[in-house]
Amino acid sequence: MQGDELRFYRVGNVVDAKTPALIGTGFGLQVGLLLSGAILTETIFSWPGVGNWLIHGVQSRDYPVVQGGILLVASIVISVNLIVDLLYGVVNPRIRHA
């Protein structure tokens, strides 16, 4: 093999190997950003929703509402990250026994 062919072969393998991890991890991380963006959007446009409910709870110092909202958002983020990790184990069998 010549130098250019070998370099292309190595880069192609790295891209193919990293694609499921990048897609899955990227999706899992985007959920947290999506929820924080929803809180901001609901506050700006006065839309009813969990974000607006959470902001009103903070402003009125309603601690059970704030704790429940944070618990809800955290459990959604953790659940999505767990699902992404489990699906990555299904897609890439080498990662199952690690």
Side-chain angles (χ1 to χ4, degrees), residues 18 21 84-98:
K18 292 290 183 185
V84 166
D85 286 344
L86 292 176
L87 287 177
Y88 185 61
V90 171
V91 170
N92 189 356
R94 294 176 292 170
I95 212 73
R96 288 185 199 163
H97 301 290

Side-chain angles (χ1 to χ4, degrees), residues 14 17 25 28 40 47 49 63 65 68 72 77 80-81 87 89-90 93 97:
V14 169
T25 306
L40 182 66
W47 291 346
Y63 295 118
V65 168
L72 176 70
V77 170
V80 168
N81 281 320
L87 287 177
V90 171
H97 301 290

